[in-house]
Amino acid sequence: MTQDNPHLSRRTALRTVAGAALASVAGCLNNGDSPGGGNSTPSDEGGVIQEVTVEGTELVVEYSSEEEVDQINLVQPNGELFGQRETAAGSQQVSFEIGTSYEPGEYTVVALSGEETLAESSSVIQPEIGIQEVGLYRNNPEKPWDEVYGDTETDRLKNGEAYVTVENTGSGPEAIVELIFSGDVPNPVEDPRGSGMYETEQVVISPGETTDLFSSSFPFGSESEEGMGCSPDGNSGQFTVTVRTQVGGDQVSRSFDVQYSGSTEMSDCEVSITEA
């Protein structure tokens, strides 16, 4: 994360002069109808700061052109300056690249005219990742497997590759940096080499976005030494999917029930996955 002046104090960042009138606008980012599907905080009608939106990995500030705004500051949750942007003539928007290494919490946008603070707007920027579902190639051929793995991977995909659908319901971007399968799967991967995701070290998920993570391991591959896998008599158990995040530094897990039936070969096995 690059910050313009990380050691400036909150007082300096706000540049509030004694006796200056302060118009405050406060709120938390929530799902809105802003362009690009970002999350936004609208201000009061006619306010200086009209909207604060997270679009992808950028925080976008829209302000009134009727006021003499010449600078927009962004203050971090710890009170230090994250960055500052000079406004251009005729412009009503500036943006800050917050990336996926920012500190979650309440950020304050400050509109300035010279040394006078015209307005402030506070917004909470915090990702929230949830695991929605898990699926296999043999059960979900409509997924873009060829786009991810290439045509030459089709045969091996049938032997155990999986996807995990995750959603970011928070107000800030997040990066998934590790995907782990454990429990009653034929090939559990509790400590994968690399990220556990196919040919990528991380997957960035914007606020309000849902995406699929494709495994680089073979969680539903050949039968494990413990005997978990397909059999003519059927086999059932429970497994856990875990994703590790960068911004929140969390491990988000969800468990699923699984039933194997049919042939002794996993490539021909019927696999049914349901919520635990």
Side-chain angles (χ1 to χ4, degrees):
M1 177 175 62
T2 301
Q3 302 169 16
D4 297 349
N5 293 290
H7 299 299
L8 292 181
S9 68
R10 180 176 177 85
R11 181 177 180 182
T12 302
L14 297 181
R15 284 172 57 183
T16 304
V17 295
L22 177 65
S24 256
V25 181
C28 294
L29 293 175
N30 50 58
N31 289 331
D33 298 324
S34 57
N39 294 344
S40 64
T41 297
S43 76
D44 57 338
E45 185 176 354
V48 176
I49 301 173
Q50 297 188 330
E51 191 172 50
V52 179
T53 306
V54 175
E55 299 180 10
T57 58
E58 287 189 329
L59 185 142
V60 179
V61 181
E62 295 185 15
Y63 55 91
S64 172
S65 61
E66 298 179 1
E67 303 291 340
E68 295 182 359
V69 178
D70 57 30
Q71 183 172 304
I72 301 291
N73 285 0
L74 180 61
V75 183
Q76 302 178 84
N78 63 6
E80 294 183 349
L81 183 67
F82 181 94
Q84 56 188 28
R85 299 289 182 268
E86 303 294 334
T87 61
S91 174
Q92 293 180 265
Q93 179 177 293
V94 296
S95 62
F96 298 86
E97 176 64 40
I98 60 176
T100 56
S101 298
Y102 66 93
E103 177 188 355
E106 185 175 78
Y107 283 73
T108 302
V109 173
V110 186
L112 302 160
S113 177
E115 293 295 324
E116 180 184 1
T117 299
L118 299 177
E120 291 184 40
S121 177
S122 296
S123 302
V124 174
I125 305 178
Q126 177 104 28
E128 185 69 34
I129 296 297
I131 297 172
Q132 301 301 308
E133 65 177 7
V134 177
L136 308 184
Y137 176 91
R138 61 175 66 86
N139 297 336
N140 298 272
E142 76 284 356
K143 291 287 184 180
W145 299 96
D146 288 347
E147 295 178 20
V148 177
Y149 297 97
D151 293 337
T152 60
E153 302 289 343
T154 300
D155 289 339
R156 82 184 190 101
L157 288 173
K158 294 179 180 179
N159 292 325
E161 294 288 5
Y163 73 88
V164 178
T165 303
V166 294
E167 181 182 13
N168 184 358
T169 58
S171 55
E174 180 61 279
I176 304 299
V177 295
E178 193 170 25
L179 174 62
I180 303 170
F181 288 83
S182 60
D184 295 327
V185 292
N187 185 29
V189 183
E190 298 180 357
D191 185 19
R193 292 175 295 176
S195 68
M197 296 176 290
Y198 192 77
E199 290 190 349
T200 184
E201 294 183 357
Q202 66 174 26
V203 174
V204 177
I205 308 177
S206 302
E209 182 181 7
T210 298
T211 192
D212 290 332
L213 310 175
F214 290 85
S215 68
S216 62
S217 60
F218 296 84
F220 296 91
S222 58
E223 183 176 311
S224 68
E225 294 180 359
E226 290 75 20
M228 181 51 63
C230 213
S231 71
D233 297 330
N235 208 349
S236 62
Q238 187 177 99
F239 69 92
T240 299
V241 173
T242 300
V243 295
R244 186 166 63 84
T245 65
Q246 178 170 292
V247 176
D250 300 321
Q251 286 195 350
V252 180
S253 299
R254 185 174 177 183
S255 295
F256 295 85
D257 291 327
V258 60
Q259 183 170 357
Y260 308 94
S261 60
S263 171
T264 56
E265 297 294 329
M266 279 302 298
S267 59
D268 298 321
C269 185
E270 294 185 11
V271 182
S272 176
I273 298 173
T274 57
E275 292 185 28

